[in-house]
Amino acid sequence: MADDARTLANGGKHIDFQTDPSRYRHWKLAVDGEVATLTMDVDENGGLFEGYQLKLNSYDLGVDIELADAVQRLRFEYPEVKVVVMRSGKNRVFCAGANIRMLAGSSHAHKVNFCKFTNETRNGIEDSSENSGQKYLCVVNGTAAGGGYELALATDHIIMADDGAAAVALPEVPLLAVLPGTGGLTRVVDKRKVRRDHADYFCTIEEGIKGRRAVQWRLVDEIAPNSRLDARIAERVKALAATSRRNGEGKGIVLTPLHRSIGDHRVHYEFVDVEINRAGRIATITIRAPEAPPPADIDALLAQGAAFWPLQVARELDDAILHLRLNELEIAMLVFKSHGDGALVAAYDDLLEAHKAHWLVNEIRHNWKRVLKRIDVTSRTLVTLVEPGSCFVGTLAELVLAADRSYMLIGSRDGDNRAPPAIVLSAMNFGPYPMSHGLTRLEARHQADPSQVEQARAKIGEPLDAEAAEELGLVTFALDDIDWDDEVRVFIEERTSFSPDSLTGMEANLRFVGPETMESKIFARLTAWQNWIFQRPNAVGENGALRRYGTGERAQFDMTRV
Amino acid sequence: MADDARTLANGGKHIDFQTDPSRYRHWKLAVDGEVATLTMDVDENGGLFEGYQLKLNSYDLGVDIELADAVQRLRFEYPEVKVVVMRSGKNRVFCAGANIRMLAGSSHAHKVNFCKFTNETRNGIEDSSENSGQKYLCVVNGTAAGGGYELALATDHIIMADDGAAAVALPEVPLLAVLPGTGGLTRVVDKRKVRRDHADYFCTIEEGIKGRRAVQWRLVDEIAPNSRLDARIAERVKALAATSRRNGEGKGIVLTPLHRSIGDHRVHYEFVDVEINRAGRIATITIRAPEAPPPADIDALLAQGAAFWPLQVARELDDAILHLRLNELEIAMLVFKSHGDGALVAAYDDLLEAHKAHWLVNEIRHNWKRVLKRIDVTSRTLVTLVEPGSCFVGTLAELVLAADRSYMLIGSRDGDNRAPPAIVLSAMNFGPYPMSHGLTRLEARHQADPSQVEQARAKIGEPLDAEAAEELGLVTFALDDIDWDDEVRVFIEERTSFSPDSLTGMEANLRFVGPETMESKIFARLTAWQNWIFQRPNAVGENGALRRYGTGERAQFDMTRV
């Protein structure tokens, strides 16, 4: 169920994360040479759920799914694009932020998942700027309030109209009794480095800040009168393009639709299969190895396009994770399995490493990084089972390292003539896929003794059986055939009986050992506090500010400070 | 009201943070040369509130107030002590953690404040080890469960009896549907560097881990059979003493009782006065400058002992903050003011800097650091008003920098012949008082341009009027007499009308710009998630695990993963 408080519009049965520009209702994507323009022009009758209108360029998850799609396509389909101009298609309003009626009527789980996805989309914009050289310029032509300003904050440069009306604002605290929780509080002080007392003032006024003070306080980068706005945008586009390291060679590839079938108990893609056991509250995600060796060279890879195995499997896996997060709320655990010829997986990893300087290979690597990060912040228990026939090699071995717990079979099973399972590490386990807090999963694992990362590196390419993998600290438990069934069964039964909330909190803490970055702070300090507030009567109770908003009645607060 | 769900034992009207060893009911402090022993022997009938018994060395806030007092006294009263052995006075149990009946029946605000104080106490133990050279050795002679193990985690070295019974455990998730939230999850992976999947296993079993696996997984440092336990402790004490840089010179000073009167609307100390305006939901904390110049030398300082102004005022301020946190839950805002001769404050700061190598001066500086950190994590809006007659100099100027917002008067008031207010910086603003995330308050303030910290340093000792202070970014707003009253009044009225929850989340984010440390992660990632869980029906609802614990009935969970 997508949201037990809401009904999907148009009789939809689940939230679908797949779209393409021909289907967009809220965004327009236009490309002109090295400049793309992303225009937000929300169709107020195009809400994902019934029961609210998306006025004033306010958004719901459906709007953000289109944005995420556009940001992704720009990276893969437009190697020539160096600057993306984000602007509004409405007069005098940039974006009013997340739709309040949508939020007020959503289940707690949907609120949390909605914010998580929109955070990932904004992080994706920053990732595109940093790692694809697609620089984002935001044109604030009117009010950019709440989530609207948070969207602007994710870009590299904000130009605001200096017309006495355009303003940036984070009015959540005074207006709604919640936080600017989609990165806003963190980005204001950590990214834009607004002084904390100025930020305190800014975040407690409804009307926002316009004109020169917005520049002086670092809330926007520059202001321009309407008469000079277009000229200023053109100058800035040129300057940003000059800083881009996007080399713009060659043609893009098209992100063709995934082949997916959604059944009652199964979501099936070409290389990813999801079996949903609702009674047991488990989803088993099996990833299949490629069946053919990788293309011989970059031209052949370009010819494969979206069918190139590492790209296709990442897109399928990403869609599967999002589907489970938003549509299968009672699934407690994701069990990862794999199947196929590990040597072929290794060959693809070799190609990803050998050609990492090529723009498309770079995109594919960063895309895998983002998919794995999405898994890291998915609030379901992550378990990986390494069994005969599996192919946890390199990139796929990250799923062993990402798991809260992993089990690996020692030897073979009685009557199974396949070889014992092996894990194989590749260069991909040692850098290209950092977690959101900046460490690789192997580094996070071996905080006690970083030399263990080096010991693992020395084994790149070697098949590691269960005992060797346990010795290197790659798996939690190596079990023989006699113990496997009982141990795994008891673990799964126990785990799925625990309070989901305590598991969410526990996993979110244990997964992120060591440092924090701006990105990880958004998912930790900021999101955890927002989720607390999203549970408090002062925000979501009958008389709370979210519920009372727009009714003309004032919210009533319990004034206890906690 | 200390806890609107509970009645204080023995007719108490407020929670009192002042105690001394002669009054301890739960701890015994014994000192023998360079070794102190802190024995936890909780009086089960000595609960702070009515309605529960503190069985099996379980604790409530009252137990922790004694521990905090003991840790503090060890630093000031026993310069000769290099090692503190923490052990249990009960047979076969070290400590069962926070008392569950106490937790189950507490208000949400009390739970959160209780955890915050116990976190500060455990951080204080680590601070003592790091900055006073008092090393903590923990002897686990039986079960150390939940908060019991979290207490052990705060020490430098854990020895566990290897008797088939003694074990360490974090059973909160499986047993109570809450987190080991007093630093446990963070310290297991960040301090003890237990591998995250091992930690996952450890935190989901009720029975804990004993013997060799506890050592292999880094949960304890060593195990010893009971027959050799005392000998092993003696060896370890010797080794720890050898690593201590406590120089043990001279005699300690006695932390004499504070002179305090608690009235209906006022808490008064010698140098700190708290005026409580319950209707306005404001507490005004006024700090008075010393009246005499500092002692001429260290001997004279030692002779003053606890009456030495910087120490006395820090102790008074600390008690005032704790009183307000736990006993005045509806106060929304702490307004800091100061009064007196700034030149004398400066002279005391000069002494603290000139003699910083002396053990007692070192203690006083670190104590101020801890008091200021306590203010940073106090979930009330912090405002500082800099007016004529004030003395925000050096150490006291940290209260300007700690504030969410500060206002400073330009010039004087009509009819007031005192000089316009000035802020004066000292060496104390540039290092000795870092926040929990490792930055000084000036560094946190000037993330955009670190050269502003250097500009401020160049002004050490110079009186800075409102315009100069605004120019240097030390105050939020400089206002003249005409604007002051209205602006400050409107701000206070607006601020106190907002939802307390959203302010808590907002302030906790804006105050901690930039990096995170283990200590700040405990107050951020860990605590924010725990507070969320403390609000969820799966833990605290009628059928939740905290309520059902010990009733024989199983908790019922909403199985939605959020």
Side-chain angles (χ1 to χ4, degrees), chain B residues 326-397:
Chain B
L326 273 290
N327 296 306
E328 296 287 347
L329 297 174
E330 296 214 350
I331 293 298
M333 185 185 282
L334 310 186
V335 177
F336 292 101
K337 298 186 177 188
S338 65
H339 176 72
D341 185 351
L344 289 175
V345 178
Y348 278 82
D349 265 14
D350 290 346
L351 187 152
L352 292 181
E353 183 64 10
H355 293 280
K356 65 185 171 192
H358 187 267
W359 76 266
L360 178 56
V361 175
N362 179 59
E363 289 305 341
I364 291 166
R365 290 160 59 110
H366 283 292
N367 190 47
W368 257 105
K369 175 193 72 183
R370 293 194 299 281
V371 174
L372 290 164
K373 281 184 180 183
R374 194 163 343 249
I375 292 172
D376 292 330
V377 295
T378 293
S379 65
R380 313 292 169 105
T381 297
L382 306 172
V383 181
T384 302
L385 300 181
V386 187
E387 297 171 277
S390 67
C391 55
F392 287 110
V393 173
T395 295
L396 295 189

Side-chain angles (χ1 to χ4, degrees), chain A residues 108 190 195 197 200 204 329 379 405 445 476 495 507-508 512 514 516 521 525 532 535-536 561, chain B residues 108 190 195 197 200 204 329 379 405 445 476 495 507-508 512 514 516 521 525 535-536 561:
Chain A
H108 184 67
D190 275 24
R195 227 172 67 201
D197 55 342
D200 180 275
T204 51
L329 297 174
S379 65
R405 244 191 255 185
R445 206 166 181 83
T476 316
R495 184 73 158 213
E507 291 157 3
F512 294 91
E516 301 267 13
K521 281 175 82 178
R525 196 181 265 277
W532 175 72
Q535 190 66 29
R536 299 281 289 164
R561 279 280 318 224
Chain B
H108 184 66
D190 275 25
R195 226 172 67 199
D197 54 343
D200 181 276
T204 51
L329 297 174
S379 65
R405 243 190 257 186
R445 204 165 183 84
T476 316
R495 184 72 159 215
E507 291 157 2
F512 294 92
E516 301 267 13
K521 282 175 81 178
R525 195 181 266 279
Q535 189 67 28
R536 299 281 290 163
R561 279 284 313 227

Side-chain angles (χ1 to χ4, degrees), chain B residues 200-410:
Chain B
D200 181 276
Y201 178 84
F202 174 60
C203 296
T204 51
I205 54 173
E206 293 180 19
E207 66 276 20
I209 291 181
K210 55 194 170 191
R212 280 182 55 201
R213 180 176 263 188
V215 178
Q216 283 162 352
W217 282 14
R218 310 175 59 87
L219 296 163
V220 305
D221 292 286
E222 57 182 319
I223 51 175
N226 279 324
S227 60
R228 276 186 289 172
L229 193 56
D230 286 338
R232 195 66 70 83
I233 294 167
E235 281 166 35
R236 197 52 66 182
V237 162
K238 209 169 153 186
L240 281 171
T243 69
S244 167
R245 38 182 202 70
R246 187 89 167 165
N247 63 22
E249 279 170 8
K251 281 181 58 181
I253 62 158
V254 177
L255 296 178
T256 49
L258 300 178
H259 299 286
R260 179 187 64 181
S261 66
I262 301 183
D264 280 351
H265 301 287
R266 168 159 260 128
V267 185
H268 190 73
Y269 307 81
E270 274 191 273
F271 293 103
V272 173
D273 180 75
V274 184
E275 187 197 326
I276 298 170
N277 170 355
R278 291 204 186 79
R281 302 183 50 242
I282 305 165
T284 303
I285 302 176
T286 305
I287 299 172
R288 200 158 55 83
E291 283 172 355
D297 54 29
I298 284 286
D299 284 340
L301 189 166
L302 284 162
Q304 288 190 4
F308 178 59
W309 180 82
L311 176 55
Q312 183 173 342
V313 77
R315 291 179 67 213
E316 291 179 358
L317 181 57
D318 204 38
D319 189 71
I321 296 293
L322 289 169
H323 177 83
L324 291 167
R325 265 200 204 165
L326 273 290
N327 296 306
E328 296 287 347
L329 297 174
E330 296 214 350
I331 293 298
M333 185 185 282
L334 310 186
V335 177
F336 292 101
K337 298 186 177 188
S338 65
H339 176 72
D341 185 351
L344 289 175
V345 178
Y348 278 82
D349 265 14
D350 290 346
L351 187 152
L352 292 181
E353 183 64 10
H355 293 280
K356 65 185 171 192
H358 187 267
W359 76 266
L360 178 56
V361 175
N362 179 59
E363 289 305 341
I364 291 166
R365 290 160 59 110
H366 283 292
N367 190 47
W368 257 105
K369 175 193 72 183
R370 293 194 299 281
V371 174
L372 290 164
K373 281 184 180 183
R374 194 163 343 249
I375 292 172
D376 292 330
V377 295
T378 293
S379 65
R380 313 292 169 105
T381 297
L382 306 172
V383 181
T384 302
L385 300 181
V386 187
E387 297 171 277
S390 67
C391 55
F392 287 110
V393 173
T395 295
L396 295 189
E398 286 293 303
L399 295 171
V400 180
L401 306 175
D404 297 305
R405 243 190 257 186
S406 56
Y407 292 83
M408 186 165 180
L409 189 76
I410 301 173

Side-chain angles (χ1 to χ4, degrees), chain A residues 218-231:
Chain A
R218 309 176 59 89
L219 295 163
V220 305
D221 293 286
E222 57 183 318
I223 52 175
N226 280 322
S227 60
R228 277 188 288 174
L229 193 57
D230 285 340

